[in-house]
Amino acid sequence: MTTDSFELGPIRPPSEAYSLLIRATRNCPWNRCKFCHVYKGKKFELRPVEDIKQDILAVKAIQDKLKEIALKSGYGERIEEVAAAILNNPLNEASFNVALWLYYGGDSAFLQDANTLIMRTPELVEVLKFLKQTLPSITRITSYGRSKTASKKKLEELIQLREAGLSRLHIGLESGYDPLLKYMDKGVTAAEHIKGGKNIVKSGISLCEYVLLGLGGKKMWREHATETAKVLNQINADFIRVRTLTIKEGMPLYEEVKNGNFIRATDEEIIEEEKLLMENLDCKSNFISDHITNLLQELEGKLPQDKEKMLATIARFQSLSPEEKQNFKLGRRLGIYEGLDDLDNSIKHDSVERAIQKLSQNGKQVNEELIYSLMERFI
Ligand code: SF4
């Protein structure tokens, strides 16, 4: 029996904003990383394959209904027109997701939650095949996975997953520095990151490795940058995506900050760390900073050829006067600026200056605490 709804997990990568979301597992089987709050207090569960299939059938039922409405409304095959109307008035979160997915072409799906790769390979293959058979417009299926799990899967299993339709894995590498991985309780070593990453690359599944800028804090930033670059250089992932550490209540790291064990790096220090990471990267990967938490979201390019261009962007920020740096940092964290070029936009620049004046009238100033608290809103 199908329904008008299906189960959704809490998150997906920014690049999967328009993908259909299918919850293959619930929560995180590791769930111990100090910097992560997403699944804390929630138990990991493998969902029965039959339940996942019922969810896929529910998606098809919603899609069929939209097709019928499109036909009756004289739109013919143009289902996007109906999807757009549903987006303004969705029945529930699931129908919103289906409408969004269809509006943007209906060709991409993301399997939630934190480590789908932990499913038994034959079961995951069954889910992938059923998804493609039931919704044939899907040509790209991606998911999250842990390096440790990828390091334990046989290469043949990963190849089977690719052949069944798994196009890309998003892996939270975070760091390549073992003492930091241990301190953060990431549950993986640099060697396992390399083994898991190389396995995925060899299997032909596209790989996206996520690095967490600022994770080393004031103590380990240097080693975090250089050792992470070493690991990435060995993996040669298709994509390296950076995010910036943001801390909020509910994360074990929040307590570490409170009791003084972890000292956070400032925005300027994190940019210095990013520079060191970039200087040490010697791989053929696409570098992307598309996460809202990143100060320099515009850093993007293909390595190695765009390295100098990206370093020049970092140098441009570092050469700003202290006042302009302050203006830019606040503008980014208030969501006014998208990139450094916005500093030349007098309307935006003035509006940030007014915010700074207002803060000072209220006896406040643009300091790290204010920046950190503004960043919390992004996660
Ligand atoms: S493995 Fe990923 S989802 Fe699980 S606790 Fe760590 S960061 Fe969070």
Side-chain angles (χ1 to χ4, degrees), residues 2-6 53-63:
T2 57
T3 65
D4 273 349
S5 192
F6 55 92
K53 284 185 173 176
Q54 285 305 318
D55 280 1
I56 295 169
L57 289 173
V59 173
K60 181 164 165 42
I62 299 172
Q63 184 190 41

Side-chain angles (χ1 to χ4, degrees), residues 11 27-40 113-115 144-146 172 174 184-187 212 243:
I11 59 162
N27 310 313
C28 173
W30 177 249
N31 216 7
R32 284 165 54 172
C33 304
K34 282 195 174 122
F35 53 85
C36 172
H37 69 295
V38 183
Y39 306 103
K40 292 284 182 285
D113 281 344
N115 186 17
Y144 279 133
R146 292 187 70 223
E174 328 298 0
M184 290 293 170
D185 212 353
K186 180 68 194 167
L212 197 45
R243 294 171 295 142

Side-chain angles (χ1 to χ4, degrees), residues 24-25 46 52 115-121 123-124 127 153:
T25 61
L46 287 164
I52 306 169
N115 186 17
T116 312
L117 210 52
I118 205 166
M119 283 174 72
R120 287 184 56 242
T121 302
E123 295 192 351
L124 185 49
V127 168
K153 285 260 180 205

Side-chain angles (χ1 to χ4, degrees), residues 326-327 330 352-361 366:
Q326 183 192 58
N327 180 293
L330 188 66
V352 180
E353 281 304 304
R354 279 197 299 277
I356 294 172
Q357 273 167 23
K358 208 165 166 194
L359 281 167
S360 114
Q361 280 158 11
V366 185

